[in-house]
Amino acid sequence: MAGHEIVFSVDDRPTRAELIELYDAVGWTSYTTRPEALEDAVAGSTRVVTARYGDELLGLARVLSDGASIAYLQDVLVRPELQREGVGRQLVQTALEPYGHVRQKVLLTDDEPRQQAFYESLGYVEVRDYGEGHLRAFVRFDETSARERRVGAQTP
């Protein structure tokens, strides 16, 4: 892709087929097993930013926000062959651009060292490391696939 321009667009809503291809490319198959839910999630997002090369979807980031007190950064994806090329950083910066005045910017991500390094490079810290330890984060998953992942992880 060297020498060609990657175009970042706001509120470009990819098709179901494009979403499935991108999410599968990064291994997020728990999303693609229910494509209608994935499509609804993207459609219901407050802000969606895409990275494209021509018609090819290379990356996506989305935000859910009340516009005043909190913004959730959700689903930052970049095709594997373009990771570590600045595409993810540009997606996040563009996605969060209108929320500079919002105090809380939150994300939930996998416990993977490269992801940790990426988000820390953008100024994020783990909740347990913020301030003097006065914050707590809670999460609840009510989906079958989350239970299946836990059970599957215990199987040799």
Side-chain angles (χ1 to χ4, degrees):
M1 309 240 169
H4 298 287
E5 187 176 339
I6 295 174
V7 176
F8 294 86
S9 300
V10 175
D11 290 328
D12 166 22
R13 305 294 168 130
T15 66
R16 181 184 289 190
E18 289 177 315
L19 291 170
I20 291 169
E21 183 179 342
L22 179 61
Y23 280 67
D24 277 342
V26 298
W28 292 10
T29 56
S30 63
Y31 285 87
T32 60
T33 58
R34 296 183 46 227
E36 65 287 342
L38 173 58
E39 192 174 34
D40 288 347
V42 172
S45 297
T46 311
R47 185 169 170 94
V48 176
V49 176
T50 58
R52 291 184 182 270
Y53 177 77
D55 290 335
E56 184 181 2
L57 182 63
L58 305 176
L60 176 142
R62 62 190 186 98
V63 175
L64 294 94
S65 179
D66 61 15
S69 66
I70 193 161
Y72 291 93
L73 178 60
Q74 181 68 22
D75 295 358
V76 179
L77 302 94
V78 175
R79 294 188 67 78
E81 63 271 18
L82 288 172
Q83 292 176 2
R84 304 187 63 91
E85 299 291 328
V87 176
R89 175 177 294 279
Q90 184 65 48
L91 283 167
V92 170
Q93 289 172 341
T94 304
L96 291 173
E97 192 172 54
Y99 307 104
H101 65 285
V102 173
R103 181 173 173 257
Q104 294 181 65
K105 294 168 188 80
V106 178
L107 71 100
L108 178 66
T109 190
D110 294 331
D111 183 21
E112 202 272 323
R114 284 184 48 197
Q115 287 184 13
Q116 179 180 353
F118 172 69
Y119 289 114
E120 286 177 348
S121 78
L122 294 171
Y124 284 83
V125 296
E126 289 193 57
V127 71
R128 69 173 178 247
D129 298 332
Y130 185 80
E132 303 206 12
H134 298 292
L135 290 177
R136 219 175 255 191
F138 297 89
V139 65
R140 175 179 157 172
F141 288 94
D142 289 338
E143 60 183 80
T144 303
S145 61
R147 285 191 302 267
E148 289 171 352
R149 280 195 301 269
R150 285 194 303 272
V151 171
Q154 298 170 2
T155 307

